[in-house]
Amino acid sequence: MSSTTEAAPDTYDVLIVGAGISGIGAAYYLRRDHPQRSYAILESREASGGTWDLFRYPGIRSDSDLHTFGYEFEPWREQDAIAGGDKILAYLRRTAAKYGIDRAIRSRTRVVGANWSSEQARWSVLVEDTGTGERSTLTCSWLFCAAGYYRYDEGFTPDLPGRARFGGRVVHPQHWPEDLDCAGKRVVVIGSGATAVTLVPALARTAGHVVMLQRTPTYILPVPARDRLAERLRAVLGDRRGHALARRKNIARQAAVWGFCRRFPKTARRIIRRYNVRMLPEGYPVDEHFNPPYDPWDQRLCVVPDGDLFRAIRSGAASVVTEAVDTFTETGVRLASGRELDADVVVTATGLNVQAMGGIALRVDDVPVDLADTVAYKGMMLSGVPNFAYAIGYTNSSWTLKVGLLCEHFCRLLKQMDEGGHDTARPEVADSAMPLRPLLDFQAGYVRRAVDTLPRQGERAPWLTSFQYTKDVRLLRRLPVEDPELRLTSSSAHRRQAVTAQTETGA
């Protein structure tokens, strides 16, 4: 919550939606490059931190190294490169406090809708106090959405028959109960993604036994929890230079792994399987439980620090079952084969519900914007929607790598507009016949379920959303901001202000 006691203004140059890792990053770049601009961060929850404050399930951690998942401008100083949620949350809040960003956060402020006025070149943003339900309107020149891409109020749970008759407890990781103690209990975790492979080894430390029940296997790769080379670089070169070099190294490594998997999927599959065999008990049915029917990186590849999932399986504290659920029973879960898994607790680690642009109802001159009819411009703006930017990171490497570049480019765009005397930036597709495809070219279930509600992307720059860091460095950091398909103009209100200023100066 904001630390200021003064009455908050109702008009700003920039409003940032979301006080998570993207929103705090956006605020840093805005303060650094445009200190004269007023801004606020609108956060619907009580506290900052976004995902890392919301998720409280056992073992919550990053699935990317923190030298790349952390900010380029703020070194990661912890020993764990794959870090727990508590350390990440502390890092985010420490960063926000260090740069004075925490004072700009307006918590319990949910953005309901926003309407753009072309005449005034301003957004009218309808917000709601989540504590009282009271609504009010703020205005801004730019609206920057840093709310991620999933719903914070609910996770995805498929229809599982018989749930009501189950005598135990059913929980979703997105809303983990504080009073839930799994010590000595039989736990079934339904799922096989990043959340499940994090939960299982964490629960296995105290539970009687944990079963990871998956319908389809996932690629799982063990990685070191600590980055020894990064630690040595920091010790020799200092935090900032050491962080910068470790970051470069890990960016290159992520790109190399992803590129190799996409170019040589069969070889990559064999290598991952070899790692799995080494870490599992002799004779373990690897091909039944760790051999997905798709190629590596068709869906996100899961990492397990120091092979903790495999160690839990090897110790007997956890096991994996690959089969579809038929129904809940009074005492557990019955599978399609008729086999039953007894359980005291069932965890539905079954994914997220995608919510584009924070669920904000956008309008341009009172006309509703259908996101599915828009095309993403440089992966950060929407065709036909003026002065609106958003931050969506990578799905194939560290999220924050892309967000940092987008924020840099956004600040460059503001500078370009100032120099040209413009107050409106509107992306416009020059070729209406340009072929379009989904914004997120990713086969994960949460993406497939929402693909028809998301913006599209084109087949050429600047309408092609890149998922390669090196390409984005060139597009967003090095190439000019000017683009024939980004229309920079001056509103009538801006022109009137200019005339008035000239008149007063002349007088």
Side-chain angles (χ1 to χ4, degrees):
M1 185 174 291
S2 175
S3 60
T4 181
T5 58
E6 298 177 4
D10 60 6
T11 183
Y12 298 88
D13 293 318
V14 182
L15 284 176
I16 299 169
V17 183
I21 194 167
S22 300
I24 292 170
Y28 168 82
Y29 287 102
L30 187 63
R31 283 173 55 90
R32 185 193 71 178
D33 296 347
H34 297 275
Q36 79 284 4
R37 279 185 159 86
S38 61
Y39 79 98
I41 303 176
L42 309 181
E43 171 55 53
S44 62
R45 305 180 69 248
E46 290 275 359
S48 64
T51 296
W52 303 104
D53 179 69
L54 170 69
F55 286 106
R56 304 294 179 90
Y57 61 81
I60 171 70
R61 56 168 172 78
S62 66
D63 59 357
S64 300
D65 72 276
L66 264 295
H67 299 99
T68 56
F69 188 72
Y71 299 118
E72 183 174 19
F73 58 84
E74 186 62 21
W76 176 255
R77 295 178 172 87
E78 300 283 350
Q79 285 188 336
D80 293 338
I82 304 293
D86 56 339
K87 291 184 178 179
I88 298 173
L89 181 59
Y91 167 79
L92 293 180
R93 290 180 176 168
R94 189 166 57 246
T95 300
K98 177 178 178 178
Y99 297 102
I101 295 166
D102 57 343
R103 295 192 297 271
I105 298 173
R106 295 178 59 157
S107 18
R108 298 195 316 176
T109 304
R110 183 174 71 90
V111 178
V112 178
N115 184 41
W116 169 261
S117 166
S118 294
E119 181 180 354
Q120 298 296 321
R122 294 192 70 77
W123 286 99
S124 293
V125 182
L126 179 64
V127 300
E128 179 181 270
D129 184 315
T130 58
T132 65
E134 181 181 354
R135 292 189 171 188
S136 57
T137 299
L138 310 176
T139 69
C140 61
S141 297
W142 273 87
L143 189 59
F144 189 106
C145 184
Y149 59 62
Y150 67 89
R151 290 185 61 164
Y152 272 38
D153 58 338
E154 64 176 25
F156 172 73
T157 302
D159 182 24
L160 299 173
R163 177 171 172 170
R165 63 178 173 170
F166 176 54
R169 197 162 181 180
V170 181
V171 300
H172 192 284
Q174 190 162 325
H175 300 288
W176 193 268
E178 291 184 5
D179 64 344
L180 180 58
D181 182 6
C182 294
K185 295 182 178 178
R186 300 164 298 177
V187 182
V188 173
V189 177
I190 302 176
S192 60
T195 302
V197 303
T198 300
L199 266 168
V200 170
L203 292 171
R205 297 186 191 116
T206 60
H209 187 77
V210 182
V211 176
M212 186 169 82
L213 173 57
Q214 58 181 15
R215 184 176 58 185
T216 306
T218 298
Y219 289 105
I220 301 175
L221 186 66
V223 298
R226 294 175 62 176
D227 188 332
R228 304 288 182 177
L229 179 54
E231 292 175 21
R232 289 195 292 271
L233 288 171
R234 287 208 328 269
V236 173
L237 301 174
D239 280 343
R240 292 206 168 272
R241 291 182 64 193
H243 175 72
L245 286 177
R247 186 178 174 88
R248 289 184 187 179
K249 169 184 73 72
N250 291 350
I251 288 171
R253 183 179 63 187
Q254 289 176 11
V257 170
W258 182 81
F260 182 85
C261 288
R262 303 310 290 164
R263 187 175 180 185
F264 306 106
K266 293 182 180 179
T267 303
R269 180 191 291 266
R270 288 196 297 268
I271 292 172
I272 296 170
R273 184 185 185 280
R274 192 176 303 135
Y275 276 111
N276 295 166
V277 169
R278 286 178 184 173
M279 301 207 71
L280 289 164
E282 185 175 353
Y284 188 86
V286 176
D287 291 327
E288 179 181 353
H289 302 310
F290 295 97
N291 185 26
Y294 52 85
D295 288 336
W297 277 115
D298 280 351
Q299 297 187 30
R300 191 173 178 92
L301 190 152
C302 291
V303 299
V304 287
D306 294 335
D308 59 0
L309 173 66
F310 299 116
R311 286 189 283 109
I313 294 171
R314 196 167 59 240
S315 72
S319 58
V320 179
V321 173
T322 303
E323 196 172 337
V325 174
D326 176 36
T327 183
F328 277 90
T329 66
E330 289 81 359
T331 58
V333 177
R334 186 168 66 233
L335 308 179
S337 65
R339 176 186 175 187
E340 292 198 18
L341 300 177
D342 291 334
D344 303 302
V345 178
V346 174
V347 182
T348 54
T350 45
L352 309 168
N353 277 325
V354 170
Q355 179 175 262
M357 310 307 163
I360 302 170
L362 296 174
R363 291 174 173 264
V364 174
D365 295 323
D366 297 320
V367 177
V369 174
D370 186 343
L371 294 178
D373 291 336
T374 65
V375 187
Y377 173 84
K378 292 186 179 179
M380 63 174 288
M381 296 179 70
L382 299 174
S383 62
V385 183
N387 290 30
F388 178 84
Y390 64 89
I392 291 182
Y394 293 123
T395 55
N396 62 346
S397 59
S398 290
W399 173 273
T400 328
L401 290 177
K402 176 105 178 187
V403 171
L405 293 174
L406 293 174
C407 293
E408 287 183 40
H409 194 80
F410 173 64
C411 290
R412 292 176 60 207
L413 172 57
L414 294 182
K415 181 181 179 182
Q416 179 73 27
M417 294 174 69
D418 288 346
E419 292 174 348
H422 302 123
D423 64 354
T424 304
R426 183 194 301 258
E428 295 181 348
V429 179
D431 179 11
S432 60
M434 178 179 65
L436 302 177
R437 55 193 177 96
L439 175 65
L440 297 176
D441 189 12
F442 205 50
Q443 297 305 309
Y446 64 90
V447 173
R448 294 200 306 269
R449 289 192 298 270
V451 69
D452 291 337
T453 67
L454 300 176
R456 306 297 189 236
Q457 65 169 312
E459 294 190 338
R460 60 170 177 82
W463 304 103
L464 177 65
T465 300
S466 167
F467 284 90
Q468 296 184 44
Y469 181 75
T470 52
K471 289 185 177 180
D472 282 330
V473 166
R474 181 174 182 272
L475 175 67
L476 300 173
R477 180 180 286 170
R478 295 176 182 165
L479 289 180
V481 172
E482 300 96 321
D483 187 274
E485 293 180 275
L486 180 64
R487 188 181 174 207
L488 303 181
T489 59
S490 299
S491 65
S492 55
H494 187 70
R495 291 193 297 270
R496 287 195 299 270
Q497 291 173 2
V499 170
T500 300
Q502 289 175 359
T503 302
E504 291 177 350
T505 302

